Amino acid sequence: AKGGVKRVDDANVTLGAALIELGRYDEARDALAKAVVAAGAGSWMARVAGLWDAYAQRKAAAGAAPPAPAAAG
């Protein structure tokens, strides 16, 4: 039977992106950190994972902030 993941780094970046969409930022950052380890520091995929991680951090911070006031209409 076929099986196994050939690109662990790619799989973890994809998982991280999906978790961000679900609002599960801590889990996403864990998956992205695993992607960096699997890809190797300085690799292209590690850079991609780092960019997704920065996005997850921003989304988490924005979610923790109070909502902006509604515009006066």
Side-chain angles (χ1 to χ4, degrees), residues 35-52:
V36 171
V37 171
S43 70
W44 180 83
M45 190 58 79
R47 174 130 170 83
V48 170
L51 292 170
W52 273 108

Side-chain angles (χ1 to χ4, degrees), residues 9 13 15-16 21 24-25 27-28 35-36 39 41 44 46-48 50 52 57 59-61 65 67-68 72-73:
D9 56 346
V13 168
L15 175 61
E21 276 299 305
R24 294 163 55 181
Y25 305 116
E27 291 173 80
V36 171
W44 180 83
R47 174 130 170 83
V48 170
W52 273 108
Q57 282 181 303
K59 293 286 280 185

Side-chain angles (χ1 to χ4, degrees), residues 7 17 26 30 33 39 55:
R7 294 283 313 266
D26 290 337
D30 288 342
Y55 180 67

